[in-house]
Amino acid sequence: MKIERVEIREIRLPLVHFFETSFGRTTLRQVILAEVFSGGISGWGECVAGEGPFYSAECVATAWPVLCDYLAPALSGRDLSGPRDLPVAFQKVRGHRMAKAALESALWDLEARALQIPLWKHLGGTRSEIPCGVSVGIQDSLPQLLEKIEAEAQAGYRKIKLKIKPGWDVEMVRAVREKFPEIPLMVDANSAYTLKDAERLKELDSFRLLMIEQPLAHDDLFEHRRLQELIRTPICLDESIRHARDAQAAIEWGSCRIVNIKMGRVGGLAEARRVHDLCARNGIPVWCGGMLETGIGRAHNIALSTLENFSIPGDVSASKRYYERDVIQPAVEVSQSGTIVPPEGPGIGFQPDRPWIDRLTFRRAVF
């Protein structure tokens, strides 16, 4: 596979509704897309880094120069056997996993398109239908939150994830559980608490939650182990799992009982598959988290979620929840029963809407 050209572009796309976490509120997404060309075809990937360095140290402002100054030049003109060669091509660049994942996922799409097979089958996926959950951000009021949850439940979503932070936690969850006594429910703290808040977090045990996601520091494994010993609700780790080695340590220490796998956070589909396989061997269920992706990143999440151990509904929801007009055709849709059927077309199975992407493009670099 001779890489003939690499294109990096930043697009800007407003959200249908603001999305708020303990980090703050997002209304406009700045998204870096990567397109890699070989043999007359191209594959697409997405960098999931946010607008600021809040979820992780990476953000759009760091990913752009790393991609343009180091990663894309290292890839352009190179002869590869496939995406598994990228660690060698990128070995001089430490970290920057989200930037690397943008190019790595584009190569997976390119390779699957060249082979004329769906990406999810190329990855070894077995699920012909993906159960979907949805993430509901912090709202301006409790009635507004309850109204949004009602709409998502009626849309068929099989799991509701609530963002929490100090001051928007126990009382809010109590009100949600009282109104929706049977709905599968989890909470995500995005590192908003410390071990000193253990008693407060323990109060959540009474609400039959599927999990508490990343309650403590983003780079912590040790204190999560201590917290898991104090509470009944399973802890799910997100930001703390940067690669399979972190997952191995978390499992051996008992720091969590569930793992959220995000392709961008771990550096690409190959590493995501390694984390998945490790968790499967150790009886740890996994699910696919979302990063407000456009349809390109969402399509890669769909492919990843077909792997066998993705047994918990992930944040792989419909395009229309986030964007009035997505960047792929057709848009991602969720059935009334709360599932997505992986597409049978080659690669990611969706076609990037190039004229629309061109209109959204804020800057572009070609290698």
Side-chain angles (χ1 to χ4, degrees):
M1 180 189 295
K2 181 66 176 291
I3 306 304
E4 299 157 356
R5 189 164 88 252
V6 178
E7 293 192 13
I8 308 296
R9 67 173 80 206
E10 179 191 331
I11 65 171
R12 298 190 175 184
L13 194 59
L15 292 168
V16 170
H17 187 272
F18 68 81
F19 189 79
E20 185 170 333
T21 71
S22 59
F23 303 132
R25 178 174 292 189
T26 300
T27 58
L28 176 75
R29 285 290 285 123
Q30 298 171 232
V31 180
I32 297 176
L33 300 178
E35 187 177 10
V36 179
F37 296 78
S38 178
I41 58 176
S42 69
W44 288 77
E46 178 171 333
C47 178
V48 299
E51 291 71 32
F54 310 127
Y55 171 83
S56 79
E58 287 187 83
C59 61
V60 172
T62 66
W64 182 267
V66 168
L67 279 161
C68 293
D69 295 345
Y70 301 101
L71 301 181
L75 183 59
S76 182
R78 187 179 285 262
D79 199 354
L80 303 173
S81 63
R84 296 170 186 83
D85 287 352
L86 277 193
V88 174
F90 294 162
Q91 63 183 345
K92 291 183 179 180
V93 179
R94 294 189 180 184
H96 299 285
R97 291 178 297 277
M98 292 178 179
K100 291 176 179 177
L103 289 170
E104 193 249 26
S105 59
L107 276 178
W108 278 105
D109 181 33
L110 175 62
E111 185 174 71
R113 288 179 187 273
L115 294 170
Q116 285 293 299
I117 59 174
L119 175 59
W120 64 275
K121 291 184 178 179
H122 189 38
L123 290 172
T126 58
R127 295 181 179 272
S128 58
E129 199 170 28
I130 301 166
C132 300
V134 69
S135 179
V136 180
I138 296 168
Q139 304 298 307
D140 289 330
S141 67
L142 187 55
Q144 187 180 43
L145 174 68
L146 296 175
E147 182 180 342
K148 285 190 71 66
I149 295 173
E150 180 72 42
E152 305 297 5
Q154 289 181 0
Y157 287 104
R158 298 188 178 188
K159 182 196 74 178
I160 302 293
K161 178 169 84 172
L162 303 174
K163 296 289 187 176
I164 62 171
K165 64 179 181 179
W168 181 266
D169 46 30
V170 175
E171 289 74 18
M172 177 271 291
V173 175
R174 178 178 292 110
V176 172
R177 182 50 86 202
E178 287 176 355
K179 183 171 177 61
F180 303 98
E182 301 302 326
I183 197 166
L185 198 63
M186 63 166 286
V187 296
D188 180 11
N190 290 117
S191 306
Y193 298 85
T194 71
L195 199 56
K196 294 179 181 179
D197 299 307
E199 288 302 314
R200 182 71 170 169
L201 294 170
K202 193 173 183 179
E203 292 183 58
L204 296 171
D205 280 344
S206 61
F207 302 123
R208 295 177 290 110
L209 300 177
L210 294 173
M211 68 191 88
I212 301 175
E213 185 180 0
Q214 199 69 37
L216 307 182
H218 71 281
D219 56 355
D220 172 76
L221 295 177
F222 178 70
E223 289 196 342
H224 276 106
R225 172 188 179 177
R226 295 178 63 189
L227 179 62
Q228 186 65 92
E229 292 171 345
L230 296 172
I231 65 176
R232 296 195 310 272
T233 306
I235 288 175
C236 169
L237 288 182
D238 176 5
E239 292 97 317
S240 294
I241 307 300
R242 301 162 299 173
H243 37 59
R245 296 193 308 278
D246 282 339
Q248 181 69 56
I251 292 168
E252 291 185 4
W253 288 3
S255 303
C256 66
R257 298 176 189 162
I258 299 170
V259 169
N260 173 352
I261 299 180
K262 292 177 179 173
M263 176 195 66
R265 191 192 70 235
V266 301
L269 289 168
E271 189 67 15
R273 178 63 195 257
R274 281 190 282 271
V275 175
H276 165 275
D277 293 351
L278 172 68
C279 289
R281 291 194 299 270
N282 287 274
I284 301 293
V286 303
W287 58 284
C288 183
M291 294 286 287
L292 302 178
E293 292 93 345
T294 71
I296 291 171
R298 198 171 303 276
H300 283 283
N301 287 346
I302 291 170
L304 182 63
S305 298
T306 64
L307 296 176
E308 185 177 1
N309 195 37
F310 281 88
S311 56
I312 299 172
D315 295 342
V316 190
S317 42
S319 295
K320 66 182 180 181
R321 286 199 71 253
Y322 301 99
Y323 303 109
E324 185 174 336
R325 179 178 174 181
D326 208 341
V327 300
I328 55 169
Q329 295 177 333
V332 175
E333 295 184 355
V334 174
S335 71
Q336 284 297 313
S337 60
T339 62
I340 292 175
V341 175
E344 290 293 337
I348 60 174
F350 298 87
Q351 291 305 316
D353 187 346
R354 193 178 294 275
W356 179 233
I357 292 173
D358 287 341
R359 287 178 58 186
L360 296 171
T361 297
F362 177 75
R363 53 180 169 172
R364 177 170 168 264
V366 179
F367 304 87

